[in-house]
Amino acid sequence: MARDLAPGTGHRRGRLRVYLGSAPGVGKTYRMLDEARRRRDRGADVVVGWIECHGRRHTEAMLDGLEALPGVHRSYRDGDFEEMDLDAVLERRPAVVLVDELAHTNIPGGRNAKRWQDVEELLDAGIDVITTVNIQHLESLNDVVRKITGIPQRETVPDEVVRRADQIELVDMAPQALRRRMAHGNVYRAEKVDAALSHYFRVGNLTALRELALLWVAGRVDEGLRDYRASHDIDRVWEARERVVVALTGGPEGETLIRRAARISDRTAGGDLLAVHVTRSDGLAGASSGALAQQRQLVETLGGSYHVVVGDDIPTALLAFARAHDATQLVLGTSRRGRTARFLTGPGIGETTVGASEDIDVHMVTHEFTGRGRLPALGRRHSRRRTVAGFLAGLAVPWLLTALLSQFHETVNLTTDALIFQLGVVAVALLGGATSALVASLVASVLLNYFFIPPVHDFTIGETNNIIALVVFAAVALTVSTVVDHAARLTARAARATAEAETLSTLAGSVLRGADALPALLEKSRTAFGMRTVALLERTGGGVLASCDTHDSDGGPGPRPAEETTEVPVGPDAVLVLTGRRLPAADQRVLTAFAAHVAVALERDRLAVVAAEVEPIRAADRMRTALLAAVSHDLRTPLAAALASVGSLRSPDVEFSPEDRAELLATADESLVKLTRLVDNLLDMSRLQAGALTLHLTLTHLDEILPRALDSLADPYAPVQPLDLEAVPPVLADPPLLERVLANVITNALRHNAPGAPVLVAASHHAERVELRVIDRGPGIAPEDRDRVFLPFQRLGDTDNTQGVGLGLALSRGLAEAMGGSLEVEDTPGGGTTMLLTLPAAHPGEAPA
């Protein structure tokens, strides 16, 4: 109940319902209004706080009969904008309020910068809120969406805000259906459809956004299911989603098991493949680090994930890992041990795992190496079961040998009897260790004396040689048992070292392949040691530097009742805290090595921050060097021409005609204008590189900026033809800087355009962006050179220094990005180059960046 109360109040916190769209235009607002009408018909008090219909008639029709609160008007930079009136909604205090576009940025003047903050305030007031948001507006997916669509999203909402919603409903539509809906005019006006379909709303973009939305919602559903199971103490597996775990030993059968598990996983859509290798203190027969590395690569190639777990009891570790990841199926290979090995060591890992698996399906996969393994290495550290078996063998084996040798008493002499008993003692030592061998040697000595040393059936010894033989027998038996036990201990240490090396090798490989080492290290350490949470804390202050957990409902790195906490220092300033189970001393040695890796990763992150701070300085140095080169070389021509013209006019030795004087003045004027333009470009590029360029974003109309840009060209009568500039909304831009961008881009197009052909300037609007295309019919730009044209001091295919220092396009892209836009190169259909300038649209209801 405490979770349902608003902070600082005693009343119920409102409930949030989110309609999450896979792309603009899929019908989120329509679905929200349909839900509002349904609740109204049931008698609920529903009002519309804010709705964006974008001129869609079907959406506007859904507003009929719903109470809509008027918005509040705010002035901003010579424009009038209408926003949701938060105070009016709080005063009206309905049961349910509709608030469209959760990621919207509010116009300055209200008390909240973002609309999602308005929604939080409404929820705290006990008002239920129904809202909408698109997948591209989630903060964690911002960079992914930009890579897919090429368009940065300025308005985002923290994932946690949406994740905390009581209900999240995905509004989805097939890409082909959404494109048909657009073509019918149900999303954008007719003049915007072509540009939208050819850019943001391409089938590939829509398919990728759809997959992002489905995966994000699936992850939230999975998280909710884990929270429910944790809060209700449900330990058994729920087969809501197929997760297949394949156990790898490092043996040659690994690839067969991985492919079999992948086929099982692929049978179900959304199935997960997880490979796990258990390292234990006594090693693992047949484990090969090279084979494990190859198998790991195969798992990742097939779309799975690879994990290493530390555990002495392999079946228990496997099942614990499977249950922790809510696995539904576990794939094991049939044993490589032969019948003799199975007889000596009892049930194998597969049989034990099957017996304890409960609700997890276990697949025992046969392979070509079944039953072809070696005998068990009996010289390892002995388990309790082996110790008991060795003690019983120490009692039984001498009696069995006595019964056997008694049948051949007439043909076998005392020496042979002693050697056979000695062999039996060695076998017992291999099986059960020193204690078992001592028991066997004592029993064998007594039996050898009683049954085989004359006088038989009597504990007295008649000859001195027989006494010596019996003493030697006992000494050899004890010596052999001691050597075998010592060898077992050394083998155990070597096996433990091998297991630790395999774990650390896997860890190092994971970190080296990842770009973000610290979270990967923490997650690997949590998985490897079977912990609930792992946190990296500051020594002073206790701040959390990084953490990872099992995403359970309680959360947080703190311990629960009956949980153990292990702390390991990480350098002088941090400590690694693991919460979950008690770690044995052997595992803590490995954990210390993990902590050393964490310390290195932490130091690397700190160095990366320092390097990031230094990089702008290096870039500024490079820019200054380039500027000096440009000033010393490329600015010389216009300066020399201006000086020569002015010097000639001032010379008293020459009498110029009015025509010559006018020509010299024109030359000087043209050279000085060119020099001024070049210097302005150089200074602006310097400001961009130094981050010192001041922007004044305001509502800017393209049809007003273009004439001013054309007037600033060297030839104001150049053939430039504008198209549809009045049909697009104004953009958020700095007018003088936008004028410079257009002038530079158009100048570049005129320079490379085909003779007699006009340069076209066309505009379109879609997806809250305005696109301006400057189209020429020149030779075009090869795809591999498209990035080079935006580098400073580059003139692609142009070696004439009189044309400038090559800063026009570089400066234009920098200015466009500073204003929240972009400048890209496209091919002109039929030949030529199109420069695509994208800027954020500004219309009522939207705020500047």
Side-chain angles (χ1 to χ4, degrees):
M1 292 296 295
R3 185 174 57 182
D4 295 332
L5 297 179
T9 68
H11 55 74
R12 179 187 72 87
R13 176 179 165 88
R15 297 189 175 276
L16 176 63
R17 178 167 185 159
V18 177
Y19 284 94
L20 179 66
S22 57
V26 295
K28 305 179 303 301
T29 305
Y30 188 94
R31 291 280 294 275
M32 179 176 65
L33 290 170
D34 184 60
E35 173 66 15
R37 295 168 70 92
R38 185 178 66 84
R39 296 196 184 194
R40 181 205 59 185
D41 294 341
R42 291 188 319 194
D45 181 16
V46 182
V47 301
V48 178
W50 185 259
I51 288 292
E52 291 281 1
C53 293
H54 299 291
R56 299 165 187 167
R57 61 183 184 278
H58 299 295
T59 305
E60 292 174 348
M62 294 293 291
L63 284 169
D64 292 342
L66 292 175
E67 178 186 353
L69 297 179
V72 60
H73 289 267
R74 293 193 178 99
S75 298
Y76 182 75
R77 291 183 178 175
D78 302 327
D80 183 69
F81 300 90
E82 186 178 4
E83 289 276 16
M84 180 180 71
D85 192 342
L86 178 60
D87 292 328
V89 178
L90 291 172
E91 182 180 355
R92 170 65 173 77
R93 198 174 182 79
V96 183
V97 62
L98 274 59
V99 181
D100 206 3
E101 296 188 359
L102 183 65
H104 171 75
T105 301
N106 290 331
I107 297 294
R111 60 175 172 272
N112 295 319
K114 294 285 188 176
R115 185 166 290 166
W116 64 264
Q117 295 171 323
D118 293 341
V119 169
E120 288 291 311
E121 193 168 336
L122 294 172
L123 294 172
D124 289 340
I127 301 173
D128 293 347
V129 178
I130 306 177
T131 187
T132 65
V133 70
N134 280 327
I135 191 66
Q136 69 265 25
H137 293 300
L138 294 180
E139 181 65 40
S140 65
L141 301 177
N142 187 271
D143 57 338
V144 179
V145 173
R146 179 171 184 171
K147 291 178 182 178
I148 294 172
T149 64
I151 297 176
Q153 300 295 325
R154 296 180 300 110
E155 296 182 328
T156 59
V157 60
D159 289 45
E160 188 60 29
V161 174
V162 182
R163 189 180 287 113
R164 288 199 306 263
D166 298 275
Q167 296 182 60
I168 301 175
E169 185 170 338
L170 178 65
V171 183
D172 185 30
M173 184 178 292
Q176 294 80 2
L178 180 56
R179 287 170 61 85
R180 285 196 301 270
R181 188 166 183 254
M182 293 187 63
H184 293 157
N186 295 328
V187 179
Y188 296 128
R189 294 193 296 271
E191 64 271 15
K192 305 177 184 178
V193 170
D194 290 340
L197 291 177
S198 61
H199 293 89
Y200 190 90
F201 288 84
R202 292 192 292 265
V203 173
N205 289 357
L206 296 177
T207 303
L209 292 173
R210 189 185 192 196
E211 183 177 15
L212 281 178
L214 292 170
L215 290 175
W216 194 90
V217 172
R220 302 295 74 73
V221 172
D222 196 37
E223 185 178 290
L225 180 61
R226 287 198 300 269
D227 290 346
Y228 177 84
R229 293 177 61 212
S231 61
H232 290 76
D233 296 326
I234 300 174
D235 295 329
R236 65 182 183 277
V237 175
W238 284 6
E239 299 181 7
R241 182 177 181 180
E242 289 290 351
R243 289 185 177 87
V244 182
V245 173
V246 53
L248 302 178
T249 66
E253 77 282 359
E255 293 188 3
T256 302
L257 301 184
I258 292 170
R259 291 190 171 92
R260 183 74 176 94
R263 290 195 294 272
I264 295 174
S265 175
D266 290 342
R267 290 174 185 170
T268 305
D272 290 338
L273 173 64
L274 301 92
V276 59
H277 171 62
V278 179
T279 61
R280 59 186 184 184
S281 58
D282 61 348
L284 191 58
S288 166
S289 57
L292 285 173
Q294 294 178 357
Q295 291 165 16
R296 175 189 184 130
Q297 184 177 6
L298 177 60
V299 169
E300 294 175 347
T301 301
L302 295 174
S305 59
Y306 182 85
H307 306 266
V308 176
V309 175
V310 177
D312 288 331
D313 189 339
I314 294 181
T316 301
L318 283 176
L319 291 174
F321 176 85
R323 291 192 175 95
H325 290 78
D326 204 21
T328 56
Q329 303 187 59
L330 181 58
V331 177
L332 302 174
T334 53
S335 177
R336 288 181 284 133
R337 301 177 305 155
R339 293 182 179 179
T340 303
R342 289 197 296 271
F343 173 77
L344 292 175
T345 58
I349 294 173
E351 185 177 346
T352 306
T353 304
V354 170
S357 62
E358 296 180 355
D359 48 0
I360 299 178
D361 297 335
V362 180
H363 299 263
M364 297 298 297
V365 178
T366 58
H367 49 84
E368 59 179 318
F369 302 98
T370 300
R372 292 170 54 183
R374 302 172 298 177
L375 285 172
L378 300 176
R380 295 183 181 143
R381 189 180 66 185
H382 307 297
S383 64
R384 182 176 180 182
R385 177 178 177 181
R386 287 271 298 279
T387 301
V388 173
F391 179 78
L392 296 177
L395 296 175
V397 168
W399 284 100
L400 294 175
L401 293 178
T402 300
L404 178 63
L405 293 175
S406 297
Q407 303 298 322
F408 305 96
H409 183 65
E410 299 295 334
T411 58
V412 177
N413 58 25
L414 179 60
T415 303
T416 303
D417 293 335
L419 290 175
I420 293 176
F421 270 103
Q422 185 70 69
L423 180 62
V425 172
V426 172
V428 172
L430 291 173
L431 178 63
T435 303
S436 301
L438 178 61
V439 172
S441 63
L442 292 175
V443 175
S445 299
V446 172
L447 294 178
L448 188 64
N449 181 15
Y450 188 79
F451 287 100
F452 300 100
I453 297 178
V456 296
H457 303 137
D458 193 345
F459 287 105
T460 60
I461 301 175
E463 297 182 7
T464 304
N465 289 336
N466 292 337
I467 295 176
I468 296 174
L470 186 61
V471 172
V472 171
F473 169 80
V476 170
L478 292 175
T479 302
V480 169
S481 64
T482 302
V483 171
V484 169
D485 186 67
H486 182 65
R489 294 178 184 276
L490 292 178
T491 303
R493 292 177 184 175
R496 180 68 191 184
T498 301
E500 294 175 359
E502 289 175 359
T503 303
L504 295 177
S505 174
T506 303
L507 171 70
S510 303
V511 174
L512 290 175
R513 278 190 290 269
D516 202 349
L518 196 55
L521 277 168
L522 296 184
E523 176 61 27
K524 286 294 180 182
S525 61
R526 185 193 67 79
T527 304
F529 296 103
M531 291 299 194
R532 181 176 64 86
T533 64
V534 176
L536 184 62
L537 307 179
E538 295 177 336
R539 281 185 180 272
T540 58
V544 179
L545 299 175
S547 66
C548 67
D549 54 43
T550 56
H551 306 290
D552 53 26
S553 58
D554 291 341
R560 297 175 178 175
E563 278 191 339
E564 296 287 343
T565 297
T566 303
E567 296 186 3
V568 181
V570 178
D573 303 323
V575 60
L576 188 65
V577 179
L578 297 89
T579 304
R581 65 184 181 92
R582 179 187 294 273
L583 285 181
D587 287 349
Q588 290 188 12
R589 289 197 303 270
V590 184
L591 181 58
T592 303
F594 270 70
H597 283 75
V598 172
V600 172
L602 188 60
E603 184 63 22
R604 190 176 74 174
D605 288 351
R606 290 172 178 168
L607 292 176
V609 172
V610 174
E613 295 174 352
V614 172
E615 181 57 32
I617 300 176
R618 294 179 57 194
D621 288 340
R622 291 194 298 266
M623 178 56 63
R624 279 193 291 269
T625 302
L627 287 174
L628 291 174
V631 169
S632 64
H633 186 271
D634 290 301
L635 301 185
R636 186 180 305 163
T637 299
L639 185 60
L643 288 174
S645 299
V646 173
S648 298
L649 290 172
R650 295 187 62 190
S651 174
D653 300 330
V654 181
E655 185 69 27
F656 293 100
S657 64
E659 293 80 7
D660 293 337
R661 181 179 296 274
E663 184 178 352
L664 288 173
L665 288 172
T667 300
D669 181 68
E670 181 182 349
S671 299
L672 291 174
V673 168
K674 185 181 296 184
L675 184 62
T676 301
R677 186 182 300 116
L678 292 177
V679 171
D680 287 342
N681 283 343
L682 289 170
L683 291 176
D684 283 342
M685 181 59 72
S686 297
R687 295 190 188 102
L688 276 176
Q689 293 291 331
L693 186 66
T694 302
L695 297 177
H696 299 285
L697 300 181
T698 185
L699 289 170
T700 305
H701 294 271
L702 293 179
D703 55 341
E704 297 176 358
I705 291 294
L706 182 62
R708 300 207 298 264
L710 295 179
D711 290 341
S712 66
L713 299 180
D715 180 8
Y717 301 103
V720 179
Q721 181 179 348
L723 299 173
D724 300 328
L725 297 187
E726 302 85 359
V728 297
V731 298
L732 285 170
D734 187 308
L737 295 185
L738 180 57
E739 179 183 334
R740 293 278 303 282
V741 171
L742 289 178
N744 286 338
V745 174
I746 293 173
T747 298
N748 183 77
L750 290 169
R751 183 182 303 153
H752 299 284
N753 197 25
V759 170
L760 303 180
V761 181
S764 60
H765 169 234
H766 70 89
E768 304 177 357
R769 312 289 286 181
V770 172
E771 294 182 346
L772 186 72
R773 290 175 172 80
V774 179
I775 305 167
D776 67 57
R777 293 292 179 179
I781 302 175
E784 61 270 16
D785 293 329
R786 290 181 180 176
D787 288 333
R788 288 179 51 204
V789 299
F790 294 108
L791 296 177
F793 313 106
Q794 296 288 324
R795 290 186 297 272
L796 191 62
D798 184 5
T799 58
D800 181 8
N801 291 337
T802 64
Q803 298 297 321
V805 295
L807 276 178
L809 292 181
L811 178 62
S812 297
R813 170 176 274 190
L815 294 176
E817 293 176 349
M819 292 184 290
S822 62
L823 181 62
E824 304 293 340
V825 178
E826 294 182 349
D827 288 328
T828 300
T833 300
T834 297
M835 289 290 175
L836 174 61
L837 174 63
T838 304
L839 293 169
H843 51 75
E846 291 192 341

